[in-house]
Amino acid sequence: LPEDLKPSVQVALEKLCKQTGRRFGDPEHPLLASVRSGSRASMPGMMDTVLNLGLNDLTTEGLAARTGDPRFAWDSYRRFIQMYSDVVLGLDNSVFEEIIDQDIASRKLNTLAELDAEALKNLAGRFKQLVLDELGEEFPQDPEVQLWAAIRAVFASWKNVRAVTFRRLHNIPDDWGTAVTVQSMVFGNRGADSATGVAFTRDPSTGEKGLYGEFLPDAQGEDVVAGHRTPQSLTEAGRKATGGQDTSLEQAMPEAFNKLSDIADRLERHFGDVQDIEFTIENGKLWMLQTRTGKRTLKAAIRIAVEMEGEGIISREDALMRIDPSALDQILHPTIDPSAERIVVGSGLPASPGAATGEIVFSSEEAERLKLDGRKSILVRAETSPEDVHGMHAAEGVLT
């Protein structure tokens, strides 16, 4: 790391402590942080993030006492040990998932959400023991040590396999590098009036104006991308369109939803383009985590460019320059004739336009093997993760 990085981070941390009234390692008022990547080109899910940093045995007890919610405190610590061990210490995340599954089964429960504070405290203890057994050293308790290890790991994730593959597929130069952002934590896992989610200012598939996206109540960011729970629609219109049974954010938390709509509109006008927003709601209060230019299909891009020019957000020249000539082939994708007779054997969440044919495969590695043999495949998974980027590229189509 550059020599002048440490002192500049210390100065910024002091400012953060003053703003939040909290300090790293203080059991009464612990400062908890998220450490995120920030590439100049959007690479969603390709690089690493560490959430809940600053928790240890003492600060977790303090957090439980201060909030009066021990379940939330131990759930956050359990999440931190699992994420830090995966991203920073290099332990396979599936080992932790195995322990969780065993614990849920042994208690004759169905989901992680049913575990109480004592069970989550026990889980955190088992996770720490796993770290000791595998690495021969204790899980780090010093928040300063945690912070610098996390900063290094997030910088290093620029060179992980999925990020390198993604850049190759999207012609992003390797020498751009990434920024690292340290933010104070807000918590979407504080109960029924808390949530986390992602929102687009316009539908990335059709270009239709209006908030589009998903959220999960009582959850943190990684829950949305991990695919263990099915997210709920932000809007009532979106819920009806997908036939969703769960409540939309618009219905569940109208005040936070209206504020999100207002801010989304301001961000779009400020940046002059569709925004892809990450947000958290903690005890009914909305917090904005980040915004970036939203990816979209070509069909949506054309509609968005024309409508934004009509709304006076961008000029006619800007509208024309928004369309990537190499993306025009999207409009030529084959599709299934709407009048054709079909026998449906499976359905999933829609992601992009077009129809495809191929043999069914159940792993990314299998999809790559078939491609090398000159055979076409459809990758079928319960859910895909950033680790599947190579298989998604090798397959003709993806069903999740």
Side-chain angles (χ1 to χ4, degrees):
L1 299 176
E3 278 181 29
D4 59 349
L5 183 65
K6 202 152 195 171
S8 65
V9 169
Q10 291 306 137
V11 170
L13 269 178
E14 283 301 320
K15 190 177 170 188
L16 201 57
C17 290
K18 278 181 189 158
Q19 285 177 332
T20 59
R22 297 170 186 175
R23 295 200 75 80
F24 263 153
D26 180 350
E28 299 295 312
H29 299 283
L31 172 65
L32 304 180
S34 68
V35 182
R36 302 163 171 271
S37 61
S39 162
R40 61 191 260 196
S42 178
M43 293 172 58
M46 295 301 124
M47 285 176 291
D48 291 323
T49 298
V50 180
L51 302 179
N52 306 303
L53 188 140
L55 282 175
N56 56 27
D57 297 352
L58 276 178
T59 54
T60 304
E61 294 283 6
L63 188 65
R66 187 169 61 81
T67 59
D69 188 350
R71 191 197 180 280
F72 152 69
W74 288 105
D75 180 46
S76 299
Y77 193 26
R78 182 274 307 171
R79 288 169 182 271
F80 173 55
I81 299 168
Q82 185 173 350
M83 201 176 219
Y84 186 94
S85 299
D86 175 26
V87 172
V88 180
L89 304 178
L91 291 178
D92 190 341
N93 189 50
S94 64
V95 186
F96 293 94
E97 291 294 336
E98 237 171 76
I99 292 174
I100 292 170
D101 292 341
Q102 287 167 5
D103 203 58
I104 291 168
S106 70
R107 295 172 193 274
K108 295 184 170 52
L109 301 172
N110 297 311
T111 65
L112 184 59
E114 295 171 70
L115 295 180
D116 61 16
E118 200 53 46
L120 289 164
K121 185 175 182 178
N122 177 58
L123 211 50
R126 288 182 68 183
F127 283 2
K128 286 190 296 175
Q129 188 59 48
L130 175 70
V131 171
L132 183 60
D133 293 345
E134 292 292 320
L135 303 178
E137 55 187 57
E138 300 274 358
F139 185 82
Q141 295 289 303
D142 183 342
E144 287 279 339
V145 171
Q146 295 172 359
L147 176 69
W148 283 102
I151 288 172
R152 285 176 181 278
V154 175
F155 273 130
S157 70
W158 176 256
K159 293 193 173 183
N160 70 32
V161 175
R162 62 181 186 271
V164 170
T165 304
F166 185 91
R167 288 200 297 278
R168 191 182 74 242
L169 300 179
H170 293 271
N171 299 314
I172 298 170
D174 283 332
D175 61 2
W176 276 6
T178 183
V180 172
T181 303
V182 179
Q183 287 178 312
S184 59
M185 276 293 296
V186 284
F187 299 94
N189 58 327
R190 290 289 303 272
D193 64 348
S194 300
T196 190
V198 291
F200 284 81
T201 52
R202 302 187 190 220
D203 187 322
S205 292
T206 66
E208 185 181 355
K209 187 176 168 117
L211 216 52
Y212 173 92
E214 302 171 324
F215 82 105
L216 274 176
D218 195 16
Q220 285 197 345
E222 77 265 27
D223 298 328
V224 179
V225 293
H228 300 313
R229 290 164 61 188
T230 303
Q232 297 164 218
S233 181
L234 290 180
T235 64
E236 265 303 281
R239 183 189 68 78
K240 287 172 184 167
T242 57
Q245 300 302 307
D246 294 313
T247 318
S248 66
L249 185 69
E250 188 175 4
Q251 265 198 329
M253 303 181 203
E255 198 177 319
F257 174 82
N258 291 335
K259 194 158 191 184
L260 178 65
S261 298
D262 291 345
I263 293 172
D265 192 51
R266 277 169 58 198
L267 287 170
E268 184 179 90
R269 288 192 163 273
H270 176 77
F271 288 107
D273 206 349
V274 176
Q275 294 301 294
D276 171 1
I277 297 162
E278 288 182 27
F279 66 91
T280 287
I281 299 166
E282 181 179 344
N283 296 141
K285 183 173 181 179
L286 175 70
W287 297 86
M288 306 302 287
L289 304 183
Q290 69 170 34
T291 189
R292 57 191 168 204
T293 302
K295 295 196 180 297
R296 67 211 78 174
T297 63
L298 185 74
K299 183 180 167 187
I302 292 170
R303 177 175 176 178
I304 289 163
V306 170
E307 291 186 359
M308 279 191 161
E309 191 270 342
E311 292 164 29
I313 295 174
I314 58 174
S315 68
R316 193 179 182 87
E317 289 72 23
D318 282 341
L320 286 166
M321 294 305 289
R322 287 276 166 93
I323 308 304
D324 175 11
S326 66
L328 286 166
D329 72 48
Q330 277 190 30
I331 287 181
L332 308 174
H333 278 188
T335 56
I336 297 169
D337 182 346
S339 62
E341 195 179 324
R342 65 190 81 180
I343 300 162
V344 178
V345 294
S347 62
L349 299 170
S352 64
T357 65
E359 301 171 49
I360 287 176
V361 297
F362 299 104
S363 76
S364 291
E365 290 68 33
E366 211 178 336
E368 279 200 314
R369 272 201 303 276
L370 259 64
K371 184 163 188 176
L372 289 172
D373 291 344
R375 291 151 67 191
K376 295 181 175 185
S377 69
I378 305 288
L379 176 61
V380 180
R381 307 273 278 158
E383 74 264 350
T384 49
S385 78
E387 307 292 345
D388 290 307
V389 67
H390 57 295
M392 291 162 79
H393 187 65
E396 293 293 303
V398 184
L399 174 66
T400 60

